[in-house]
């Protein structure tokens, strides 16, 4: 049996609604892990499941305690210990409407808030759990050490995922720091990377960027993605990949800008989904084909790479650092550039689940 997929236009980004799933956040790739929301609004994550290590107790060696707040004995005393990793969702997370990956964890918009002040919960090792006190967040994005959310009225709120109160000699360069949005900005879509953020304005669909990126003048877009800007942890001094952004404009053409290595967009490329990462970008064409361009990073040992995106049945793509992940038209997850690690059991493989669909 053969199937033919007709061309579909890129969907103009609608203003998200309170209590509804943010389709831009169903599949979210981060620098070390990714998450997908399934048909029942449960979150499934995979990748390098980094966890904090105590001198006397190492969560990573106790998979039976992952995702739990457990009682452990440390130095002869019993105390609560949180075994949340950046690739393993808490057992009590509940139903989720959106996720956003950051350096050491995830921020989730909850279907039913368990906090009387906020409908966002951030979780993972070293994560700042003190989220902004609003219960009407409808979309969210994550960078290296920050997150940004859009409220129902379009207000953009950003915050650090490592707080001033968590500051140590190790994190003093980023604790409490985050890219601050332009005053008065109201948006309908948002995307983050290391330190840079771009948003689509609610009023007129124009793209606005800050934190190291500047949008092309008067660009209007249906979708946006921001990549690069992540620290290169494999090099001494930790230099950053230059930040870059890509958008699908109102005529479905792909436009990229910034200082990164994925600005050479194939001629006249039109797409229905776009994602950019540290050294490249990928798009889903109007007929469901995956197309990627930029500098090849196949030699990076943290990621494995398929020969090329497979099939003509793709509908959505998400990317970060060196990972690129697609959702097929049957809502299954296809990992094109995936996370890998020789560290076991700290590495979690991709789940065999179907992604949420309307």
């Amino acid at each position: 049996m053969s199937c033919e997929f007709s061309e579909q236009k890129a969907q103009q980004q609608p203003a998200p609604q309170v209590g509804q799933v943010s389709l831009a956040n169903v599949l979210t790739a981060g620098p070390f892990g990714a998450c997908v929301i399934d048909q029942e609004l449960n979150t499934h994550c995979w990748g390098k499941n980094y966890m904090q290590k105590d001198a006397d107790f190492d969560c990573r060696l106790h998979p039976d305690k992952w995702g739990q707040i457990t009682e452990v004995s440390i130095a002869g005393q019993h105390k609560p210990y949180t075994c949340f990793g950046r690739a393993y969702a808490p057992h009590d997370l509940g139903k989720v409407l959106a996720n956003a990956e950051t350096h050491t964890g995830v921020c989730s918009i909850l279907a039913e808030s368990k906090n009387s002040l906020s409908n966002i919960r951030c979780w993972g090792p070293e994560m700042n759990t003190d989220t902004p006190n609003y219960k009407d967040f409808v979309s969210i994005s994550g960078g290296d050490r920050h997150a940004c959310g859009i409220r129902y009225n379009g207000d953009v709120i950003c915050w650090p995922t490592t707080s001033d109160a968590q500051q140590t000699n190790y994190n003093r360069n980023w604790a409490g720091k985050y890219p601050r949005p332009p005053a008065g900005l109201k948006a309908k879509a948002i995307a983050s990377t290391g330190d840079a953020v771009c948003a689509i304005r609610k009023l007129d669909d124009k793209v606005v960027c800050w934190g190291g990126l500047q949008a092309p003048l008067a660009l209007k877009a249906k979708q946006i993605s921001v990549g690069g800007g992540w620290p290169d942890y494999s090099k001494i001094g930790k230099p950053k990949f230059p930040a870059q952004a890509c958008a699908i404009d109102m005529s479905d053409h792909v436009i990229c800008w910034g200082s990164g290595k994925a600005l050479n967009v194939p001629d006249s490329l039109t797409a229905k989904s776009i994602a950019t990462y540290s050294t490249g970008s990928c798009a889903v064409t109007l007929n469901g084909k995956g197309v990627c361009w930029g500098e090849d990073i196949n030699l990076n040992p943290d990621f494995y790479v398929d020969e090329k995106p497979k099939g003509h049945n793709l509908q959505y793509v998400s990317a970060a650092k060196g990972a690129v992940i697609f959702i097929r038209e049957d809502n299954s997850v296809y990992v094109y550039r995936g996370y890998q690690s020789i560290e076991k059991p700290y590495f979690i493989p991709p789940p065999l689940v179907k992604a949420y669909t309307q």
Side-chain angles (χ1 to χ4, degrees):
M1 181 178 68
S2 63
C3 296
E4 294 183 359
F5 296 96
S6 60
E7 288 195 358
Q8 299 176 351
K9 297 292 184 181
Q11 294 298 309
Q12 187 167 348
Q13 192 73 51
Q17 304 295 311
V18 176
Q20 294 183 358
V21 173
S22 171
L23 297 180
N25 300 103
V26 168
L27 172 66
T28 50
F32 302 104
C35 292
V36 64
I37 300 173
D38 70 14
Q39 304 279 6
E40 281 71 48
L41 305 187
N42 298 309
T43 291
H44 305 266
C45 303
W46 69 97
K48 290 187 174 182
N49 194 36
Y50 167 74
M51 291 179 171
Q52 288 179 302
K53 181 179 179 181
D54 190 277
D56 298 290
F57 186 81
D58 188 348
C59 274
R60 298 173 299 175
L61 302 179
H62 300 272
D64 59 309
K65 299 186 183 298
W66 289 1
Q68 302 180 46
I69 297 177
T70 185
E71 280 280 322
V72 300
S73 178
I74 298 177
Q77 295 184 343
H78 290 279
K79 69 175 185 178
Y81 200 91
T82 302
C83 284
F84 296 168
R86 63 186 170 199
Y88 200 91
H91 288 207
D92 62 347
L93 185 61
K95 306 299 183 182
V96 169
L97 304 176
N99 288 312
E101 295 272 350
T102 71
H103 182 100
T104 58
V106 180
C107 289
S108 304
I109 297 179
L110 306 179
E112 295 183 6
S113 177
K114 298 179 181 180
N115 180 331
S116 60
L117 299 177
S118 177
N119 66 334
I120 287 181
R121 178 180 178 184
C122 293
W123 48 271
E126 303 176 13
M127 286 289 283
N128 174 19
T129 58
D130 185 15
T131 56
N133 291 335
Y134 301 101
K135 298 188 69 173
D136 59 354
F137 282 103
V138 294
S139 186
I140 194 169
S141 67
D144 187 30
R145 303 284 182 170
H146 77 269
C148 293
I150 299 176
R151 296 180 60 200
Y152 174 65
N153 65 359
D155 286 351
V156 175
I157 310 293
C158 299
W159 66 96
T161 53
T162 304
S163 68
D164 282 324
Q166 296 172 292
Q167 188 173 135
T168 64
N169 286 335
Y170 164 70
N171 64 27
R172 63 183 182 276
N173 291 330
W174 62 79
K177 297 180 175 64
Y178 63 98
R180 299 177 185 271
L185 174 64
K186 291 187 180 292
K188 62 198 305 189
I190 195 162
S192 297
T193 186
D195 295 318
V197 189
C198 291
I200 298 176
R201 290 200 321 205
K202 187 175 183 179
L203 175 66
D204 55 10
D205 296 313
K206 286 186 178 180
V207 177
V208 178
C209 299
W210 63 96
L213 276 175
Q214 183 173 352
L217 187 64
L219 172 63
K220 293 186 177 184
K222 295 181 177 181
Q223 294 180 26
I224 52 172
S225 177
V226 187
W230 298 99
D232 183 357
Y233 298 99
S234 66
K235 296 181 180 179
I236 297 174
K238 301 182 180 179
K240 292 188 175 182
F241 293 109
Q244 60 199 11
C246 293
I248 299 175
D249 71 12
M250 305 307 282
S251 62
D252 296 329
H253 287 90
V254 174
I255 297 173
C256 297
W257 67 94
S259 303
K261 301 179 180 297
L263 306 182
N264 55 329
V265 182
D267 291 342
S268 303
L269 177 64
T270 55
K272 59 183 177 181
S273 183
I274 184 72
T276 186
Y277 54 100
S278 290
T279 57
S281 295
C282 291
V284 178
T285 65
L286 300 182
N287 65 354
K289 181 182 177 181
V291 177
C292 299
W293 63 96
E295 183 180 276
D296 187 55
I297 57 170
N298 286 7
L299 298 180
N300 189 325
D302 291 331
F303 301 90
Y304 66 86
V305 185
D306 266 1
E307 181 179 353
K308 61 182 178 179
K310 297 176 180 176
H312 294 260
N313 61 344
L314 307 173
Q315 62 170 321
Y316 182 80
V317 61
S318 181
K321 199 179 179 185
V324 179
I325 305 157
F326 293 90
I327 295 179
R328 298 187 180 97
E329 291 190 352
D330 66 358
N331 299 312
S332 61
V333 174
Y334 164 48
V335 179
Y336 166 49
R337 292 181 182 269
Y339 311 96
Q340 67 180 3
S341 175
I342 61 174
E343 298 180 283
K344 296 181 180 181
Y346 317 144
F347 177 75
I348 298 175
L352 298 176
V353 298
K354 292 294 182 78
Y356 173 87
T357 184
Q358 285 182 319

